[in-house]
Amino acid sequence: MSSHSNDISQFVDHIAKKNPNESEFLQAVEEVAETIIPFIADKPKYKDSNILETMCEPERVFMFRVPWLNDKGEVNINRGYRVQMNSAIGPYKGGLRFHPSVNLSILKFLAFEQTFKNSLTTLPMGGGKGGSDFDPKGKSDNEVMRFCQSFMTELSKYIGQFTDVPAGDIGVGGREIGYMFGQYKRVQGEFTGVLTGKGLEYGGSLIRPEATGYGCVYFSKEVLNFRNDSLENKTVIVSGSGNVAQFTVEKLLQNGAKVVSMSDSGGTIYDKEGINEEKLAFVKELKNVKRGRIKEYADKFNAEYHEGKTPWDIECDLAYPCATQNELQVEDAKSLQKNGCLGVFEGANMPCTADAIELFREHKMMFSPGKASNAGGVATSGLEMSQNSLRLSWTREEVDEKLKGIMKDIHENCVNHGKVDKEFVDYVKGANIAGFVKVADAMLAQGCV
Ligand code: GLU
C-alpha cells in the first residue's frame, strides 16, 4: 500500500480542501481511498474517469427549516437535511437521523458509507441519508408528532418510491416513521412505499426491526466460521441499547454467546452473570416504551454501572460496537487487544476510529466494518420495497432466510476482494472494493460526465 501513499494523501487533501470542517465525511472518504486508490492504480477505466472523486460529491443536498410548536405553544426551529449521494444503481436509499449532533459532515459520511453498503447488499438501491438536529429525548409524543409532520411537509417534495426512500436511523424508529408516513400521505395524496421501517399494518416488513442486529450477528458467524470458530460460549460486549444493540444481543443469546454489557450515553452496565431473555425484555421496554436510562438495569438486576464509561475495558472474546460513530478509539482498541479480544464487528456506522482499526489489523484480529456487517438493516428495507411493489407480504421465515442469504453473499464478496491468506481476510478492503466496483461500473455505463 505504501507505494500509493502519495496518491492517497494528494486525493484526501484535495477532497479536504473542498469540504473544510467536515471531519467525519473526510474520515469515511480516507478509509475508502486507502483501499480504492491502490485497486484502481492499474485500471484506467476507473482512474482516468476520476470516478472516485465523482463519488465523493453528492448528486444533491437539501437543507431546510423545520419549525414546530412545543407543548407550551412556543415556536422551535430545527434544521432538516437530505443528502442524495448516488443514484447509479437505484433510487437513493438510507435512513433519517434525529440527534442534536447531526450536521452536514455527519450526514455526508453516512450517505457516502450507505452508497457502498447498499451496493454490497446485491439489491438495487442508491445511497442517501438525512435527518435533523432535533433531539427526541425528553419530548412528548405530541411534540415528536408535530416535529415529524413539519419535517415531512418539506421533505415530501424531494422523495418518492422511485426517487428516494428514507427509513430510520438513530432517533428515528417505528413511531417517527409512522408520523412521517401519515404526513407524506396527507401532503402527496398517495399511499406508496416511500418510507421503509413502516408498521406491519401499513406496508412494513416482518424482520425489518430486527434486521440490522440479526444481520450483524449472521455476518459475524460467517467471519468466525471462516476461522473454524463459533459464537458458542463466547463472552461478548455490546455497546448501545437502541434498536441495533437490542437485536444484536437477542441473536447472540440465541447462538449461545454470553453477553455482559450494554450502554447508553450516560454509561455502561456490566452484568457478570450475563444478560438473558428476561433482562433483554426489560431493556426493550425501558428504551422503546418508557424511554428511560440504562442505569435502571443496574439497579434492577444488581449489575455494575460504569457511569460515563464505554464498555471497551471489560474483558471479552468479541465486541460489537452498536452505538454511534467514533465510539471506539485507539486506547479502547488497545485495551480490547490486551484483554484477549479476538474480533470486533461493527453494528453502528463507523464506530471505530481509523487508528483503532489499524491496531486490529496489526494484531490480525477479526474486524468487520459497518458497511458490511450492519448492511442487514438496509437490505431488509430493500425487501420491504420489493413486497410493497408486489403488494404482498412475505412470512417471517421467508424474510429471515433472505436476510441470512444476503449476509452470506456479502461475506463471500468481502472474501473475494479482501482475502490476504488462508486465515486472514481484510474485510475493510473487501467491502470497499466490492461495493465500489458495482457503483463505478453503473456510473460509467450511464455516462457519468
Ligand atoms: N439507517 C440504516 C443504515 O444505516 C438503515 C437505512 C435503511 O433502511 O434505509 O443502514
Side-chain angles (χ1 to χ4, degrees):
M1 190 172 283
S2 57
S3 65
H4 301 288
S5 58
N6 224 357
D7 292 347
I8 297 167
S9 60
Q10 258 179 27
F11 179 80
V12 173
D13 284 351
H14 179 62
I15 302 296
K17 276 206 191 84
K18 290 212 272 185
N19 302 278
N21 310 316
E22 294 189 1
S23 63
E24 294 86 359
F25 176 57
L26 293 171
Q27 182 183 339
V29 167
E30 185 162 3
E31 187 235 75
V32 165
E34 275 170 3
T35 48
I36 298 303
I37 287 178
F39 172 72
I40 63 178
D42 59 353
K43 297 175 185 67
K45 76 166 175 169
Y46 300 131
K47 201 171 178 240
D48 300 348
S49 57
N50 221 358
I51 203 85
L52 187 59
E53 183 176 346
T54 314
M55 286 168 79
C56 291
E57 196 63 35
E59 287 179 24
R60 198 171 300 105
V61 176
F62 299 102
M63 271 173 78
F64 50 92
R65 175 206 292 166
V66 188
W68 57 280
L69 288 177
N70 68 13
D71 288 343
K72 292 187 207 140
E74 295 160 346
V75 178
N76 286 249
I77 309 295
N78 284 99
R79 188 172 291 168
Y81 304 83
R82 187 70 182 166
V83 178
Q84 297 186 332
M85 193 56 125
N86 195 305
S87 62
I89 63 167
Y92 309 104
K93 181 84 197 85
L96 298 169
R97 175 176 293 192
F98 293 168
H99 191 270
S101 65
V102 162
N103 58 33
L104 198 54
S105 170
I106 289 184
L107 294 178
K108 278 172 69 182
F109 115 64
L110 288 164
F112 185 72
E113 293 266 306
Q114 198 82 46
T115 302
F116 290 80
K117 185 194 318 197
N118 293 3
S119 163
L120 282 171
T121 65
T122 68
L123 301 175
M125 299 181 289
K129 204 86 188 191
S132 173
D133 57 357
F134 173 75
D135 187 1
K137 217 183 279 163
K139 304 291 190 300
S140 70
D141 273 354
N142 278 332
E143 287 175 328
V144 170
M145 182 175 77
R146 284 193 294 271
F147 172 81
C148 288
Q149 289 173 340
S150 179
F151 181 84
M152 184 51 87
T153 301
E154 182 62 21
L155 185 69
S156 63
K157 297 170 189 164
Y158 316 118
I159 61 174
Q161 61 168 332
F162 300 120
T163 49
D164 185 353
V165 182
D169 195 79
I170 293 173
V172 178
R175 175 181 62 168
E176 291 76 14
I177 292 291
Y179 293 149
M180 287 191 277
F181 184 77
Q183 187 66 0
Y184 182 86
K185 200 159 52 75
R186 214 168 274 125
V187 171
Q188 298 291 332
E190 57 177 34
F191 191 117
T192 64
V194 66
L195 294 169
T196 60
K198 299 184 291 298
L200 288 179
E201 310 79 7
Y202 57 96
S205 172
L206 288 160
I207 299 286
R208 176 63 190 89
E210 295 89 339
T212 312
Y214 279 17
C216 184
V217 176
Y218 294 153
F219 190 86
S220 64
K221 282 176 73 173
E222 297 292 329
V223 175
L224 285 157
N225 192 30
F226 190 83
R227 290 206 182 185
N228 298 315
D229 204 345
S230 81
L231 283 169
E232 197 71 41
N233 295 322
K234 291 282 189 302
T235 299
V236 179
I237 58 177
V238 174
S239 67
S241 47
N243 169 271
V244 182
Q246 289 170 19
F247 290 105
T248 296
V249 173
E250 183 163 294
K251 194 48 83 181
L252 284 167
L253 298 183
Q254 289 170 11
N255 279 276
K258 180 180 180 190
V259 184
V260 295
S261 82
M262 291 181 87
S263 66
D264 65 16
S265 57
T268 291
I269 58 109
Y270 178 26
D271 186 344
K272 287 182 189 151
E273 307 281 293
I275 298 170
N276 58 23
E277 269 173 34
E278 179 208 332
K279 294 172 178 177
L280 179 61
F282 172 85
V283 175
K284 286 186 185 171
E285 169 85 7
L286 176 71
K287 287 289 168 182
N288 308 346
V289 183
K290 292 196 194 132
R291 303 187 188 270
R293 311 302 294 160
I294 199 73
K295 183 181 186 305
E296 289 177 44
Y297 178 106
D299 300 338
K300 180 159 171 85
F301 298 116
N302 209 10
E304 283 179 27
Y305 180 62
H306 302 175
E307 182 145 5
K309 289 254 172 72
T310 51
W312 316 124
D313 56 358
I314 295 171
E315 226 168 273
C316 67
D317 301 312
L318 304 170
Y320 290 72
C322 296
T324 193
Q325 69 271 356
N326 292 331
E327 56 166 314
L328 197 163
Q329 314 203 343
V330 70
E331 290 308 316
D332 305 317
K334 277 182 199 157
S335 47
L336 284 170
Q337 190 269 326
K338 231 178 38 230
N339 286 335
C341 177
L342 305 166
V344 178
F345 307 103
E346 292 188 335
N349 289 312
M350 206 170 75
C352 300
T353 60
D355 40 7
I357 298 171
E358 194 46 48
L359 189 135
F360 300 145
R361 196 181 275 126
E362 272 164 27
H363 289 89
K364 293 228 162 178
M365 288 164 67
M366 289 174 273
F367 172 75
S368 66
K371 57 171 85 76
S373 44
N374 77 27
V378 73
T380 309
S381 277
L383 301 177
E384 184 172 330
M385 290 167 75
S386 305
Q387 292 169 82
N388 291 165
S389 296
L390 289 166
R391 303 190 183 285
L392 283 174
S393 353
W394 296 328
T395 63
R396 223 184 136 76
E397 291 70 29
E398 271 175 288
V399 181
D400 202 22
E401 272 317 300
K402 286 187 167 55
L403 170 62
K404 271 185 208 155
I406 290 170
M407 298 317 290
K408 205 174 158 60
D409 288 347
I410 297 175
H411 182 266
E412 216 171 277
N413 229 337
C414 288
V415 174
N416 288 343
H417 290 281
K419 191 168 163 182
V420 175
D421 56 41
K422 237 174 77 200
E423 280 274 288
F424 188 72
V425 178
D426 183 340
Y427 287 93
V428 174
K429 181 177 170 201
N432 285 344
I433 295 176
F436 170 84
V437 167
K438 184 175 173 190
V439 176
D441 287 347
M443 287 169 74
L444 291 171
Q446 292 170 33
C448 57
V449 278

